[in-house]
Amino acid sequence: MISSDYRKKMTDSWFSYLQIQICKSFEILENNKLKFTRRDWYKKNIKEGGGTSYLLTNGKIFDKVGVNKSTVSGIFPKKFRPNILGAEKNKGKYWASGVSVVAHMKNPKIPAIHFNTRFIVTSNEWFGGGMDVTPSHEDKKERKIVHNDLKKICLQNKKNYKKYKRWCDEYFYLPHRKEARGIGGIFFDYETENWIKNFKFVRELGLSFIDIANKVINRKKKLKFTKKDKQKQLFKRGRYVEFNLLYDRGTRFGLNSGGNIDSILMSLPPEAKWK
């Protein structure tokens, strides 16, 4: 039987590896002329872990892209425990590891891209995560590419793509605007059964994210755009900000687990506008 400590060690190692692979891939997109800067952070109680944040800004492809990985433990505040599976049964104790990526593009014809996978341990253990795409310009072919590739990786791992897609559509929705944040993707949480198969799915999804991101970016990186196109992107980014500050689970989790503020808010774009 695989021990909980082994599962923690394996997922932690994978997320570290994936973070580096994503950074290398994105630096290649920038023709290796621009490199990520690295920043390490630790919780106030250093025994409770910390994380590593990689940031790249003002590139030819990326206005701003952050690739974060963290492994933390501790005790959730009492008021937050009902929001986390199994947290109330073990007095709020938790362990969590994960990697998250948010990429805001220079060219407004290229959509913003988000990816996250995580493994959380309370009195339960589960995987969660997903990928979604937020364009400011409609592109039906792009939508098909993203969803077909995500569907393929789900089917390969006997996961319910329709359920994950629907979950993503419902999650990345702004109720106060009555509109979707983007064109969706997949979102999943509370995958508690069969750790080996779920870990395989999470690994393959991480590698697929790199492939999908490259496809989406390479299709449009040479397209010309106007000031009007850029303005449209900045207004769409405003919606992105609203979602991440009002509804995003990762933001709430980070703030309630003593995470690093700069890393938690890494997802925010470098510039946004509101009408």
Side-chain angles (χ1 to χ4, degrees):
M1 184 176 179
I2 301 174
S3 69
S4 181
D5 285 342
Y6 177 82
R7 293 193 290 270
K8 291 177 182 178
K9 182 178 180 180
M10 291 298 290
T11 52
D12 176 56
S13 296
W14 165 254
F15 292 137
S16 293
Y17 171 79
L18 181 61
Q19 180 186 38
I20 297 302
Q21 298 312 305
I22 293 170
C23 289
K24 286 180 178 178
S25 175
F26 286 178
E27 285 177 348
I28 290 172
L29 286 170
E30 291 286 354
N31 294 320
N32 287 312
K33 293 180 179 179
L34 193 62
K35 300 292 184 179
F36 280 88
T37 58
R38 171 175 173 161
R39 181 176 57 84
D40 296 317
W41 62 270
Y42 301 93
K43 293 184 67 175
K44 289 182 179 179
N45 181 350
I46 197 169
K47 292 181 180 179
E48 294 183 345
T52 300
S53 298
Y54 283 92
L55 185 67
L56 187 153
T57 58
N58 298 318
K60 288 186 177 181
I61 299 295
F62 303 101
D63 260 350
K64 176 186 176 184
V65 53
V67 186
N68 288 348
K69 184 261 177 178
S70 63
T71 300
V72 295
S73 61
I75 300 175
F76 287 123
K78 285 186 177 181
K79 64 180 181 180
F80 188 67
R81 293 174 193 175
N83 299 315
I84 301 295
L85 178 67
E88 290 183 295
K89 292 183 179 180
N90 67 340
K91 299 180 180 180
K93 293 180 182 178
Y94 73 90
W95 181 95
S97 185
V99 61
S100 62
V101 184
V102 177
H104 295 287
M105 309 300 178
K106 180 79 72 180
N107 189 328
K109 298 292 182 67
I110 307 174
I113 301 174
H114 162 254
F115 165 80
N116 167 266
T117 45
R118 56 193 176 273
F119 181 58
I120 300 176
V121 179
T122 55
S123 60
N124 296 77
E125 297 183 1
W126 75 95
F127 285 99
M131 174 188 174
D132 71 288
V133 175
T134 305
S136 56
H137 293 72
E138 185 178 0
D139 183 341
K140 292 181 179 179
K141 188 174 181 180
E142 180 177 77
R143 180 192 291 262
K144 190 173 182 179
I145 289 170
V146 171
H147 283 284
N148 282 351
D149 282 10
L150 289 173
K151 182 178 182 179
K152 182 179 178 181
I153 200 68
C154 286
L155 292 176
Q156 287 175 352
N157 286 272
K158 298 182 179 179
K159 297 296 183 181
N160 190 331
Y161 165 74
K162 289 184 178 180
K163 175 184 175 182
Y164 287 175
K165 180 184 181 298
R166 183 170 62 251
W167 200 339
C168 185
D169 291 338
E170 292 172 355
Y171 176 64
F172 291 107
Y173 183 80
L174 290 85
H176 65 287
R177 297 283 189 184
K178 296 183 179 180
E179 65 183 47
R181 187 174 83 170
I183 62 171
I186 62 170
F187 181 85
F188 62 97
D189 213 351
Y190 313 126
E191 289 286 354
T192 58
E193 297 182 6
N194 202 320
W195 180 86
I196 292 176
K197 289 184 178 180
N198 284 329
F199 187 35
K200 175 179 176 290
F201 170 61
V202 164
R203 296 197 309 273
E204 292 184 7
L205 178 60
L207 297 176
S208 292
F209 162 72
I210 296 175
D211 291 338
I212 294 170
N214 273 270
K215 281 184 185 179
V216 169
I217 292 168
N218 283 322
R219 279 186 71 239
K220 294 183 171 180
K221 65 182 181 181
K222 294 182 179 179
L223 291 182
K224 294 182 179 180
F225 60 91
T226 64
K227 288 184 178 180
K228 186 176 180 180
D229 293 331
K230 192 67 179 178
Q231 290 296 307
K232 188 175 180 181
Q233 180 196 48
L234 297 182
F235 286 123
K236 188 65 176 180
R237 284 181 179 176
R239 299 291 203 265
Y240 208 96
V241 171
E242 290 175 14
F243 179 87
N244 281 33
L245 293 182
L246 291 173
Y247 307 114
D248 187 70
R249 288 185 184 182
T251 302
R252 293 180 183 178
F253 186 94
L255 293 174
N256 283 278
S257 62
N260 180 266
I261 298 298
D262 291 331
S263 296
I264 295 168
L265 299 181
M266 173 274 296
S267 62
L268 300 182
E271 185 181 4
K273 284 190 175 184
W274 284 264
K275 292 182 180 179

